[in-house]
Amino acid sequence: MLLPTVREILRMDPMADALPEVLAGEGGLDVLVRWVHVAETADVARLVSGGELLLATGLAWPRDARGLRSLGRELAEAEIAGLVLELGDRTPVAPRPLVDEFRDAGLPFIVLHREARFVAITEAVHARIIDDQTVALRARDEIRELFTGLSLRGSPADFIVAQAARALGCPVVLEDTGHQVLVAENVGEGEAELDRWEQRSRAAHRGAGEPGWTMTPVEARGMRWGHLVALPGEPHPAGRSSVLEQAAVALALSRLADRDDDEWIRRSHDALLAALLGRRFSRDGGMAARFEAAGFPVAGRVLAGVAVRSRTGRVEPGGAARAVEAATAAGAQAIAAAHPSSPGLLVLVVSARAGRPAADAVAEALASGDAAVVGVGSDAHGIPGLLASVEEAVELSGRGAGGRGRHAVVQRAESRPLLRLVTAFGDDPRLQEYSERMLRPLIEYDLANDGDLVEVLRAYLSHPGNRTRAAAASHLSRSVFYQRIALIEDLLSLDLDDGETVGALHAAVLARRVRG
Protein backbone atom coordinates (compact mmCIF):
# COMPACT_ATOMS: atom_id res chain seq x y z
CA MET A 1 0.00 0.00 0.00
CA LEU A 2 1.43 3.39 -1.03
CA LEU A 3 0.82 5.59 2.04
CA PRO A 4 1.46 9.34 1.92
CA THR A 5 4.46 10.84 3.69
CA VAL A 6 4.45 13.77 6.08
CA ARG A 7 6.08 15.86 3.37
CA GLU A 8 3.31 15.04 0.89
CA ILE A 9 0.60 15.92 3.41
CA LEU A 10 2.18 19.32 4.04
CA ARG A 11 1.78 20.04 0.31
CA MET A 12 -1.94 19.21 0.25
CA ASP A 13 -4.13 22.29 -0.18
CA PRO A 14 -5.92 22.24 3.23
CA MET A 15 -2.55 22.01 4.97
CA ALA A 16 -0.57 24.30 2.68
CA ASP A 17 -3.21 27.06 3.04
CA ALA A 18 -2.47 27.16 6.79
CA LEU A 19 1.20 28.07 6.16
CA PRO A 20 2.99 25.12 7.83
CA GLU A 21 6.48 25.57 9.27
CA VAL A 22 8.73 22.66 10.33
CA LEU A 23 10.39 23.43 13.68
CA ALA A 24 11.98 20.01 14.31
CA GLY A 25 12.50 16.59 12.73
CA GLU A 26 13.17 17.66 9.13
CA GLY A 27 14.81 14.30 8.56
CA GLY A 28 11.55 12.51 9.38
CA LEU A 29 9.38 14.22 6.79
CA ASP A 30 9.52 11.21 4.47
CA VAL A 31 8.08 8.79 7.04
CA LEU A 32 4.81 7.17 5.96
CA VAL A 33 1.57 8.30 7.57
CA ARG A 34 -0.90 5.53 8.36
CA TRP A 35 -3.69 7.84 9.56
CA VAL A 36 -4.41 11.43 10.65
CA HIS A 37 -5.90 11.95 14.11
CA VAL A 38 -7.06 15.05 16.02
CA ALA A 39 -5.67 14.74 19.56
CA GLU A 40 -6.01 17.38 22.25
CA THR A 41 -5.73 15.34 25.46
CA ALA A 42 -2.49 15.04 27.38
CA ASP A 43 -2.72 11.23 27.49
CA VAL A 44 -3.12 10.85 23.71
CA ALA A 45 -0.05 8.58 23.55
CA ARG A 46 -2.04 5.63 24.91
CA LEU A 47 -4.70 6.08 22.21
CA VAL A 48 -2.45 5.73 19.17
CA SER A 49 -0.80 2.63 17.65
CA GLY A 50 1.99 4.18 15.60
CA GLY A 51 2.25 5.92 12.25
CA GLU A 52 -0.36 8.61 12.95
CA LEU A 53 0.06 12.30 12.18
CA LEU A 54 -1.54 14.17 15.09
CA LEU A 55 -3.35 17.52 14.75
CA ALA A 56 -3.75 19.74 17.85
CA THR A 57 -4.33 23.25 19.14
CA GLY A 58 -2.59 22.60 22.48
CA LEU A 59 -5.75 23.35 24.42
CA ALA A 60 -5.37 20.54 26.97
CA TRP A 61 -1.59 20.24 27.02
CA PRO A 62 0.40 20.64 30.24
CA ARG A 63 1.66 24.16 30.87
CA ASP A 64 4.80 23.27 32.82
CA ALA A 65 8.10 22.26 31.22
CA ARG A 66 8.20 18.88 32.97
CA GLY A 67 4.75 17.91 31.74
CA LEU A 68 5.56 19.03 28.20
CA ARG A 69 8.78 17.02 28.13
CA SER A 70 6.91 13.97 29.45
CA LEU A 71 4.29 14.39 26.70
CA GLY A 72 7.01 14.60 24.07
CA ARG A 73 8.73 11.43 25.28
CA GLU A 74 5.43 9.51 25.40
CA LEU A 75 4.55 10.51 21.83
CA ALA A 76 8.02 9.54 20.59
CA GLU A 77 7.74 6.16 22.28
CA ALA A 78 4.33 5.68 20.65
CA GLU A 79 6.09 6.05 17.25
CA ILE A 80 3.74 8.63 15.82
CA ALA A 81 4.62 10.06 12.39
CA GLY A 82 4.62 13.67 13.60
CA LEU A 83 2.72 16.45 15.38
CA VAL A 84 1.00 19.48 13.83
CA LEU A 85 0.16 22.42 16.14
CA GLU A 86 -2.19 25.22 15.07
CA LEU A 87 -0.98 28.48 16.61
CA GLY A 88 -3.67 30.76 18.01
CA ASP A 89 -4.79 32.80 21.00
CA ARG A 90 -4.43 29.88 23.44
CA THR A 91 -1.08 28.69 22.04
CA PRO A 92 0.59 31.65 20.30
CA VAL A 93 4.02 29.95 20.16
CA ALA A 94 5.18 26.36 20.16
CA PRO A 95 6.20 25.16 23.65
CA ARG A 96 9.99 25.01 23.66
CA PRO A 97 10.34 21.89 25.90
CA LEU A 98 8.02 19.94 23.61
CA VAL A 99 9.86 21.08 20.47
CA ASP A 100 13.19 20.07 22.04
CA GLU A 101 11.89 16.58 22.82
CA PHE A 102 10.72 16.15 19.23
CA ARG A 103 14.05 17.42 17.92
CA ASP A 104 15.94 14.95 20.11
CA ALA A 105 13.71 12.11 18.86
CA GLY A 106 14.00 13.16 15.19
CA LEU A 107 10.21 13.49 14.91
CA PRO A 108 8.59 16.22 12.80
CA PHE A 109 7.06 19.06 14.82
CA ILE A 110 5.10 21.43 12.58
CA VAL A 111 3.24 24.64 13.38
CA LEU A 112 0.46 26.23 11.34
CA HIS A 113 0.52 30.03 11.18
CA ARG A 114 -3.06 30.31 9.92
CA GLU A 115 -6.27 28.80 11.13
CA ALA A 116 -6.74 25.35 9.65
CA ARG A 117 -9.83 23.24 9.01
CA PHE A 118 -8.82 19.98 10.65
CA VAL A 119 -11.83 18.24 9.09
CA ALA A 120 -10.66 19.22 5.60
CA ILE A 121 -7.13 17.99 6.36
CA THR A 122 -8.25 14.61 7.69
CA GLU A 123 -10.73 14.25 4.87
CA ALA A 124 -8.08 14.90 2.20
CA VAL A 125 -5.50 12.57 3.76
CA HIS A 126 -7.94 9.76 4.46
CA ALA A 127 -9.33 9.98 0.92
CA ARG A 128 -5.78 9.62 -0.37
CA ILE A 129 -5.13 6.61 1.90
CA ILE A 130 -8.41 4.92 0.93
CA ASP A 131 -7.74 5.57 -2.76
CA ASP A 132 -4.29 4.02 -2.37
CA GLN A 133 -5.81 1.02 -0.63
CA THR A 134 -8.26 0.61 -3.50
CA VAL A 135 -5.42 0.82 -6.02
CA ALA A 136 -3.43 -1.72 -4.00
CA LEU A 137 -6.36 -4.15 -3.87
CA ARG A 138 -6.94 -3.80 -7.59
CA ALA A 139 -3.22 -4.30 -8.27
CA ARG A 140 -3.14 -7.42 -6.08
CA ASP A 141 -6.11 -8.84 -8.00
CA GLU A 142 -4.35 -8.17 -11.31
CA ILE A 143 -1.13 -9.79 -10.13
CA ARG A 144 -3.00 -12.82 -8.76
CA GLU A 145 -4.89 -13.16 -12.04
CA LEU A 146 -1.65 -12.86 -14.06
CA PHE A 147 0.26 -15.58 -12.23
CA THR A 148 -2.76 -17.85 -11.80
CA GLY A 149 -3.18 -17.72 -15.57
CA LEU A 150 0.49 -18.57 -16.09
CA SER A 151 0.13 -21.55 -13.75
CA LEU A 152 -2.97 -22.84 -15.53
CA ARG A 153 -1.28 -22.51 -18.92
CA GLY A 154 1.80 -24.38 -17.70
CA SER A 155 4.14 -21.49 -18.55
CA PRO A 156 7.86 -22.28 -18.16
CA ALA A 157 10.00 -20.81 -15.41
CA ASP A 158 11.83 -18.29 -17.57
CA PHE A 159 8.55 -16.77 -18.78
CA ILE A 160 7.15 -16.56 -15.24
CA VAL A 161 10.31 -14.78 -14.05
CA ALA A 162 10.14 -12.44 -17.06
CA GLN A 163 6.57 -11.47 -16.13
CA ALA A 164 7.61 -10.77 -12.54
CA ALA A 165 10.46 -8.57 -13.77
CA ARG A 166 8.11 -6.71 -16.12
CA ALA A 167 5.56 -6.15 -13.34
CA LEU A 168 8.17 -4.83 -10.90
CA GLY A 169 10.24 -2.95 -13.48
CA CYS A 170 13.50 -4.24 -12.02
CA PRO A 171 15.86 -7.22 -12.41
CA VAL A 172 14.44 -10.48 -11.04
CA VAL A 173 16.55 -13.60 -10.54
CA LEU A 174 15.57 -17.21 -9.91
CA GLU A 175 18.35 -18.99 -8.04
CA ASP A 176 18.66 -22.56 -6.82
CA THR A 177 19.37 -23.56 -3.22
CA GLY A 178 23.10 -23.36 -3.94
CA HIS A 179 22.75 -19.68 -4.97
CA GLN A 180 23.44 -20.43 -8.64
CA VAL A 181 21.43 -18.34 -11.12
CA LEU A 182 18.89 -20.32 -13.15
CA VAL A 183 17.02 -17.42 -14.75
CA ALA A 184 17.82 -13.70 -14.80
CA GLU A 185 15.42 -11.23 -16.40
CA ASN A 186 15.57 -7.47 -16.98
CA VAL A 187 19.26 -7.24 -16.15
CA GLY A 188 21.14 -4.38 -17.77
CA GLU A 189 23.22 -4.66 -20.91
CA GLY A 190 26.39 -4.99 -18.88
CA GLU A 191 24.69 -7.52 -16.58
CA ALA A 192 26.63 -6.10 -13.64
CA GLU A 193 23.69 -7.14 -11.45
CA LEU A 194 25.02 -10.71 -11.70
CA ASP A 195 28.63 -9.95 -10.75
CA ARG A 196 29.74 -12.04 -7.75
CA TRP A 197 26.17 -13.28 -7.45
CA GLU A 198 26.78 -16.18 -5.10
CA GLN A 199 28.68 -14.08 -2.54
CA ARG A 200 26.15 -11.25 -2.67
CA SER A 201 23.18 -13.60 -2.45
CA ARG A 202 24.59 -15.46 0.54
CA ALA A 203 25.18 -12.15 2.30
CA ALA A 204 21.58 -11.09 1.58
CA HIS A 205 20.22 -14.33 3.04
CA ARG A 206 22.26 -13.70 6.18
CA GLY A 207 20.69 -10.26 6.48
CA ALA A 208 23.97 -8.51 5.69
CA GLY A 209 23.43 -7.86 2.01
CA GLU A 210 22.71 -4.83 -0.14
CA PRO A 211 19.63 -2.72 0.60
CA GLY A 212 16.56 -2.97 -1.56
CA TRP A 213 16.63 -6.73 -2.24
CA THR A 214 13.31 -8.56 -1.90
CA MET A 215 13.43 -12.36 -1.62
CA THR A 216 10.88 -15.14 -1.34
CA PRO A 217 11.34 -18.92 -1.35
CA VAL A 218 10.05 -21.16 -4.12
CA GLU A 219 8.73 -24.24 -2.37
CA ALA A 220 5.83 -26.69 -2.15
CA ARG A 221 5.03 -29.92 -0.30
CA GLY A 222 7.85 -29.29 2.14
CA MET A 223 10.50 -29.07 -0.61
CA ARG A 224 12.40 -25.90 -1.42
CA TRP A 225 13.88 -25.51 -4.90
CA GLY A 226 15.33 -22.04 -4.63
CA HIS A 227 14.51 -18.37 -4.19
CA LEU A 228 13.08 -15.60 -6.30
CA VAL A 229 15.02 -12.37 -5.84
CA ALA A 230 13.98 -8.86 -6.94
CA LEU A 231 16.79 -6.31 -7.01
CA PRO A 232 16.19 -2.67 -6.01
CA GLY A 233 13.39 -0.91 -7.84
CA GLU A 234 10.37 1.35 -7.48
CA PRO A 235 7.48 0.39 -5.15
CA HIS A 236 4.61 -1.58 -6.65
CA PRO A 237 0.96 -0.81 -5.75
CA ALA A 238 0.42 -4.44 -4.77
CA GLY A 239 3.68 -4.53 -2.81
CA ARG A 240 6.94 -5.96 -4.12
CA SER A 241 6.74 -8.92 -1.73
CA SER A 242 3.21 -9.72 -2.88
CA VAL A 243 4.27 -9.79 -6.54
CA LEU A 244 7.20 -12.09 -5.77
CA GLU A 245 5.05 -14.39 -3.66
CA GLN A 246 2.50 -14.82 -6.45
CA ALA A 247 5.31 -15.50 -8.93
CA ALA A 248 6.86 -18.00 -6.53
CA VAL A 249 3.57 -19.91 -6.28
CA ALA A 250 3.40 -20.09 -10.09
CA LEU A 251 7.00 -21.31 -10.19
CA ALA A 252 6.32 -23.96 -7.56
CA LEU A 253 3.32 -25.28 -9.52
CA SER A 254 5.43 -25.28 -12.68
CA ARG A 255 8.13 -27.22 -10.87
CA LEU A 256 5.66 -29.79 -9.58
CA ALA A 257 4.37 -30.30 -13.14
CA ASP A 258 7.86 -30.97 -14.54
CA ARG A 259 8.55 -34.64 -15.08
CA ASP A 260 12.30 -34.03 -15.24
CA ASP A 261 13.87 -33.11 -11.90
CA ASP A 262 16.59 -31.18 -13.75
CA GLU A 263 14.18 -29.26 -16.00
CA TRP A 264 15.06 -25.82 -14.61
CA ILE A 265 18.80 -26.41 -14.89
CA ARG A 266 18.42 -27.79 -18.42
CA ARG A 267 16.41 -24.79 -19.57
CA SER A 268 18.91 -22.45 -17.90
CA HIS A 269 21.83 -24.05 -19.73
CA ASP A 270 19.89 -24.06 -23.01
CA ALA A 271 19.32 -20.32 -22.71
CA LEU A 272 22.91 -19.62 -21.70
CA LEU A 273 24.49 -21.49 -24.61
CA ALA A 274 21.91 -20.11 -27.05
CA ALA A 275 22.89 -16.58 -25.96
CA LEU A 276 26.59 -17.40 -26.46
CA LEU A 277 26.20 -19.06 -29.86
CA GLY A 278 23.70 -16.45 -31.03
CA ARG A 279 25.98 -13.62 -29.83
CA ARG A 280 23.08 -12.18 -27.83
CA PHE A 281 25.22 -10.15 -25.46
CA SER A 282 26.57 -6.62 -25.64
CA ARG A 283 29.70 -7.05 -23.52
CA ASP A 284 32.08 -9.93 -22.98
CA GLY A 285 32.11 -9.08 -19.27
CA GLY A 286 28.33 -9.34 -19.10
CA MET A 287 28.36 -12.79 -20.70
CA ALA A 288 31.13 -13.87 -18.35
CA ALA A 289 29.03 -12.68 -15.39
CA ARG A 290 26.11 -14.81 -16.59
CA PHE A 291 28.31 -17.91 -16.80
CA GLU A 292 29.89 -17.23 -13.42
CA ALA A 293 26.47 -16.70 -11.82
CA ALA A 294 25.37 -20.08 -13.23
CA GLY A 295 28.30 -21.77 -11.48
CA PHE A 296 30.62 -21.96 -14.50
CA PRO A 297 33.96 -20.26 -13.66
CA VAL A 298 35.50 -18.17 -16.42
CA ALA A 299 38.12 -15.93 -14.82
CA GLY A 300 41.52 -17.58 -14.50
CA ARG A 301 40.33 -20.81 -16.15
CA VAL A 302 41.19 -22.64 -19.36
CA LEU A 303 38.02 -22.97 -21.43
CA ALA A 304 37.13 -25.18 -24.37
CA GLY A 305 34.18 -26.09 -26.53
CA VAL A 306 33.14 -29.68 -27.24
CA ALA A 307 30.45 -30.72 -29.73
CA VAL A 308 28.96 -34.22 -29.92
CA ARG A 309 27.04 -35.34 -33.01
CA SER A 310 24.87 -38.36 -32.24
CA ARG A 311 24.40 -41.42 -34.40
CA THR A 312 20.61 -41.13 -34.16
CA GLY A 313 20.38 -37.54 -35.37
CA ARG A 314 18.99 -36.29 -32.07
CA VAL A 315 20.31 -35.66 -28.58
CA GLU A 316 19.19 -38.54 -26.41
CA PRO A 317 17.34 -37.80 -23.12
CA GLY A 318 19.86 -37.43 -20.35
CA GLY A 319 22.67 -36.81 -22.83
CA ALA A 320 23.50 -33.39 -21.39
CA ALA A 321 23.56 -34.75 -17.83
CA ARG A 322 25.92 -37.58 -18.86
CA ALA A 323 28.19 -35.07 -20.60
CA VAL A 324 28.41 -32.92 -17.46
CA GLU A 325 29.14 -36.03 -15.38
CA ALA A 326 32.00 -36.88 -17.74
CA ALA A 327 33.43 -33.40 -17.27
CA THR A 328 33.12 -33.66 -13.49
CA ALA A 329 34.92 -37.02 -13.54
CA ALA A 330 37.72 -35.35 -15.51
CA GLY A 331 38.10 -32.67 -12.83
CA ALA A 332 36.38 -29.96 -14.88
CA GLN A 333 33.12 -28.05 -14.79
CA ALA A 334 30.79 -27.96 -17.76
CA ILE A 335 27.50 -26.72 -19.11
CA ALA A 336 25.81 -28.78 -21.81
CA ALA A 337 22.79 -28.22 -24.02
CA ALA A 338 21.41 -29.20 -27.41
CA HIS A 339 22.53 -26.89 -30.19
CA PRO A 340 19.71 -24.36 -30.76
CA SER A 341 19.59 -24.97 -34.53
CA SER A 342 20.91 -28.53 -34.88
CA PRO A 343 18.78 -31.15 -33.06
CA GLY A 344 21.38 -33.92 -33.29
CA LEU A 345 24.21 -31.86 -31.81
CA LEU A 346 25.12 -31.56 -28.12
CA VAL A 347 27.33 -28.61 -27.20
CA LEU A 348 29.49 -28.37 -24.07
CA VAL A 349 31.57 -25.60 -22.64
CA VAL A 350 34.29 -26.92 -20.35
CA SER A 351 36.14 -24.98 -17.65
CA ALA A 352 39.23 -26.47 -16.02
CA ARG A 353 42.43 -25.45 -14.28
CA ALA A 354 44.63 -27.80 -16.29
CA GLY A 355 43.26 -27.09 -19.73
CA ARG A 356 43.71 -29.58 -22.58
CA PRO A 357 43.73 -32.85 -20.59
CA ALA A 358 40.26 -32.11 -19.20
CA ALA A 359 38.70 -31.41 -22.60
CA ASP A 360 40.37 -34.50 -24.07
CA ALA A 361 39.11 -36.64 -21.19
CA VAL A 362 35.57 -35.35 -21.72
CA ALA A 363 35.81 -36.08 -25.46
CA GLU A 364 37.08 -39.63 -24.90
CA ALA A 365 34.34 -40.34 -22.36
CA LEU A 366 31.66 -39.11 -24.76
CA ALA A 367 33.14 -41.00 -27.71
CA SER A 368 32.26 -44.34 -26.11
CA GLY A 369 28.54 -43.50 -25.97
CA ASP A 370 26.07 -42.99 -28.80
CA ALA A 371 28.19 -40.29 -30.46
CA ALA A 372 29.20 -40.48 -34.12
CA VAL A 373 31.69 -37.60 -34.08
CA VAL A 374 33.12 -35.55 -31.21
CA GLY A 375 34.69 -32.18 -32.02
CA VAL A 376 37.08 -30.57 -29.56
CA GLY A 377 37.87 -26.87 -29.93
CA SER A 378 41.07 -25.07 -28.98
CA ASP A 379 41.96 -24.09 -25.44
CA ALA A 380 40.75 -20.56 -24.78
CA HIS A 381 40.57 -17.80 -22.20
CA GLY A 382 37.61 -15.46 -21.81
CA ILE A 383 34.32 -15.27 -23.68
CA PRO A 384 35.64 -14.43 -27.20
CA GLY A 385 38.04 -17.38 -27.04
CA LEU A 386 35.32 -19.69 -25.70
CA LEU A 387 32.96 -18.70 -28.51
CA ALA A 388 35.66 -19.41 -31.11
CA SER A 389 36.43 -22.76 -29.47
CA VAL A 390 32.75 -23.79 -29.52
CA GLU A 391 32.47 -22.78 -33.17
CA GLU A 392 35.54 -24.88 -33.96
CA ALA A 393 34.03 -27.86 -32.14
CA VAL A 394 30.71 -27.51 -34.00
CA GLU A 395 32.49 -27.34 -37.35
CA LEU A 396 34.70 -30.31 -36.47
CA SER A 397 31.71 -32.41 -35.41
CA GLY A 398 30.38 -32.15 -38.95
CA ARG A 399 33.42 -33.93 -40.38
CA GLY A 400 34.15 -37.64 -40.51
CA ALA A 401 31.97 -40.68 -40.59
CA GLY A 402 30.60 -42.32 -37.48
CA GLY A 403 33.01 -44.46 -35.56
CA ARG A 404 33.00 -48.19 -35.96
CA GLY A 405 32.31 -50.31 -32.92
CA ARG A 406 32.01 -48.61 -29.57
CA HIS A 407 33.97 -45.41 -30.19
CA ALA A 408 33.21 -42.36 -32.27
CA VAL A 409 35.64 -40.31 -34.33
CA VAL A 410 37.26 -37.54 -32.27
CA GLN A 411 38.21 -34.45 -34.29
CA ARG A 412 40.53 -31.92 -32.64
CA ALA A 413 41.16 -28.32 -33.60
CA GLU A 414 44.93 -28.94 -33.59
CA SER A 415 44.52 -31.00 -36.75
CA ARG A 416 42.67 -28.18 -38.55
CA PRO A 417 44.98 -25.14 -38.67
CA LEU A 418 42.85 -23.28 -41.25
CA LEU A 419 39.74 -23.66 -39.09
CA ARG A 420 41.64 -22.28 -36.07
CA LEU A 421 42.78 -19.30 -38.15
CA VAL A 422 39.26 -18.55 -39.38
CA THR A 423 37.64 -18.81 -35.95
CA ALA A 424 40.37 -16.62 -34.44
CA PHE A 425 39.33 -13.84 -36.84
CA GLY A 426 35.66 -14.81 -37.11
CA ASP A 427 34.36 -11.46 -35.80
CA ASP A 428 36.51 -9.38 -38.16
CA PRO A 429 34.13 -7.79 -40.70
CA ARG A 430 36.87 -7.95 -43.35
CA LEU A 431 36.81 -11.75 -43.16
CA GLN A 432 33.03 -11.81 -43.57
CA GLU A 433 33.25 -9.37 -46.46
CA TYR A 434 35.87 -11.60 -48.08
CA SER A 435 33.68 -14.69 -47.63
CA GLU A 436 30.66 -12.93 -49.11
CA ARG A 437 32.65 -11.65 -52.10
CA MET A 438 34.12 -15.09 -52.87
CA LEU A 439 30.86 -17.03 -52.56
CA ARG A 440 28.26 -14.47 -53.69
CA PRO A 441 27.59 -16.05 -57.12
CA LEU A 442 26.93 -19.44 -55.50
CA ILE A 443 24.78 -17.98 -52.70
CA GLU A 444 22.63 -16.02 -55.15
CA TYR A 445 22.27 -19.05 -57.43
CA ASP A 446 21.18 -21.26 -54.52
CA LEU A 447 18.65 -18.68 -53.32
CA ALA A 448 17.16 -18.26 -56.80
CA ASN A 449 17.07 -21.98 -57.67
CA ASP A 450 16.77 -23.67 -54.27
CA GLY A 451 20.20 -25.06 -54.98
CA ASP A 452 22.98 -26.70 -53.00
CA LEU A 453 26.14 -25.37 -54.64
CA VAL A 454 27.65 -23.99 -51.43
CA GLU A 455 27.24 -27.36 -49.70
CA VAL A 456 28.63 -29.21 -52.73
CA LEU A 457 31.65 -26.90 -52.68
CA ARG A 458 32.09 -27.56 -48.97
CA ALA A 459 32.07 -31.33 -49.55
CA TYR A 460 34.60 -30.92 -52.35
CA LEU A 461 36.90 -28.83 -50.15
CA SER A 462 36.55 -31.28 -47.24
CA HIS A 463 37.84 -34.14 -49.41
CA PRO A 464 40.50 -32.56 -51.65
CA GLY A 465 41.72 -34.87 -54.36
CA ASN A 466 39.00 -37.47 -53.72
CA ARG A 467 35.90 -36.62 -55.70
CA THR A 468 34.36 -40.02 -55.01
CA ARG A 469 34.27 -39.36 -51.25
CA ALA A 470 33.17 -35.78 -51.86
CA ALA A 471 30.24 -36.98 -53.98
CA ALA A 472 29.25 -39.46 -51.27
CA ALA A 473 29.38 -36.73 -48.64
CA SER A 474 27.05 -34.64 -50.85
CA HIS A 475 24.66 -37.57 -51.24
CA LEU A 476 24.92 -37.19 -55.04
CA SER A 477 25.86 -39.57 -57.82
CA ARG A 478 29.31 -38.98 -59.30
CA SER A 479 27.90 -37.72 -62.57
CA VAL A 480 25.59 -35.19 -60.91
CA PHE A 481 28.40 -34.17 -58.56
CA TYR A 482 30.73 -33.48 -61.51
CA GLN A 483 28.00 -31.37 -63.13
CA ARG A 484 27.69 -29.31 -59.95
CA ILE A 485 31.47 -28.78 -59.80
CA ALA A 486 31.54 -27.63 -63.40
CA LEU A 487 28.71 -25.17 -62.69
CA ILE A 488 30.56 -23.87 -59.63
CA GLU A 489 33.71 -23.27 -61.70
CA ASP A 490 31.67 -21.41 -64.33
CA LEU A 491 29.88 -19.20 -61.79
CA LEU A 492 33.07 -18.36 -59.89
CA SER A 493 35.31 -18.22 -62.98
CA LEU A 494 37.88 -20.20 -60.98
CA ASP A 495 39.78 -23.46 -61.46
CA LEU A 496 39.08 -25.86 -58.56
CA ASP A 497 42.23 -27.82 -59.38
CA ASP A 498 44.38 -24.84 -58.41
CA GLY A 499 45.77 -25.21 -54.88
CA GLU A 500 45.69 -21.48 -54.02
CA THR A 501 42.11 -21.22 -55.25
CA VAL A 502 41.08 -24.21 -53.16
CA GLY A 503 42.70 -22.68 -50.05
CA ALA A 504 41.01 -19.31 -50.61
CA LEU A 505 37.59 -20.90 -51.12
CA HIS A 506 38.02 -23.15 -48.11
CA ALA A 507 38.67 -20.12 -45.89
CA ALA A 508 35.56 -18.41 -47.31
CA VAL A 509 33.34 -21.46 -46.72
CA LEU A 510 34.63 -21.91 -43.16
CA ALA A 511 34.03 -18.23 -42.37
CA ARG A 512 30.45 -18.52 -43.62
CA ARG A 513 29.76 -21.71 -41.62
CA VAL A 514 31.37 -20.44 -38.42
CA ARG A 515 29.09 -17.39 -38.51
CA GLY A 516 26.04 -19.62 -39.04
Side-chain angles (χ1 to χ4, degrees), residues 265-266 268-273 290-297 304 306 320 323-324 327 333-337 346-351:
I265 295 176
R266 184 182 64 78
S268 170
H269 291 178
D270 286 349
L272 199 54
L273 287 180
R290 290 183 63 182
F291 273 105
E292 295 270 4
F296 182 87
V306 178
V324 172
Q333 289 167 275
I335 287 177
L346 181 69
V347 177
L348 288 86
V349 290
V350 180
S351 171

Side-chain angles (χ1 to χ4, degrees), residues 100-345:
D100 291 342
E101 286 294 333
F102 269 70
R103 182 176 291 110
D104 292 343
L107 281 176
F109 190 107
I110 299 136
V111 295
L112 304 179
H113 292 281
R114 286 183 181 173
E115 183 180 21
R117 295 181 63 230
F118 284 177
V119 171
I121 294 174
T122 56
E123 203 171 56
V125 176
H126 293 168
R128 159 70 189 275
I129 292 173
I130 292 170
D131 286 346
D132 287 347
Q133 289 175 334
T134 303
V135 170
L137 289 172
R138 187 180 300 116
R140 290 194 187 104
D141 287 341
E142 291 173 353
I143 289 296
R144 188 180 301 109
E145 181 179 355
L146 167 64
F147 289 108
T148 299
L150 296 181
S151 300
L152 294 175
R153 285 190 291 272
S155 298
D158 56 346
F159 188 73
I160 294 172
V161 176
Q163 293 305 301
R166 184 183 65 83
L168 291 173
C170 71
V172 176
V173 174
L174 173 63
E175 63 175 17
D176 62 17
T177 53
H179 304 278
Q180 306 298 326
V181 172
L182 299 174
V183 182
E185 294 291 342
N186 205 20
V187 294
E189 287 191 3
E191 303 186 59
E193 294 90 347
L194 301 181
D195 286 341
R196 299 173 53 255
W197 177 264
E198 182 177 352
Q199 299 93 314
R200 293 163 60 209
S201 175
R202 289 183 182 276
H205 282 272
R206 292 195 307 269
E210 303 162 35
W213 284 36
T214 306
M215 298 181 291
T216 192
V218 180
E219 57 190 358
R221 296 179 182 174
M223 181 177 295
R224 179 171 295 183
W225 295 290
H227 286 84
L228 201 55
V229 182
L231 299 187
E234 295 297 321
H236 190 277
R240 284 165 56 86
S241 295
S242 179
V243 174
L244 277 195
E245 288 164 5
Q246 290 295 323
V249 170
L251 286 168
L253 293 174
S254 172
R255 188 66 183 82
L256 289 171
D258 289 335
R259 296 180 179 179
D260 183 0
D261 289 341
D262 296 323
E263 178 73 9
W264 282 3
I265 295 176
R266 184 182 64 78
R267 286 181 179 271
S268 170
H269 291 178
D270 286 349
L272 199 54
L273 287 180
L276 176 71
L277 293 172
R279 292 172 168 80
R280 294 199 294 272
F281 55 95
S282 58
R283 290 176 56 251
D284 296 337
M287 195 73 231
R290 290 183 63 182
F291 273 105
E292 295 270 4
F296 182 87
V298 174
R301 293 296 189 105
V302 180
L303 312 174
V306 178
V308 185
R309 195 170 295 277
S310 71
R311 301 176 192 271
T312 61
R314 61 188 179 89
V315 176
E316 298 297 327
R322 289 193 295 272
V324 172
E325 288 174 3
T328 303
Q333 289 167 275
I335 287 177
H339 192 283
S341 58
S342 183
L345 190 61

Side-chain angles (χ1 to χ4, degrees), residues 64-76:
D64 60 300
R66 181 177 178 181
L68 290 168
R69 284 194 295 268
S70 177
L71 174 62
R73 286 192 296 271
E74 290 173 359
L75 291 175

Side-chain angles (χ1 to χ4, degrees), residues 39-47 59-62 67 70-72 74-75:
E40 295 287 6
T41 62
D43 61 347
V44 64
R46 68 180 180 82
L47 302 177
L59 180 63
W61 284 356
S70 177
L71 174 62
E74 290 173 359
L75 291 175

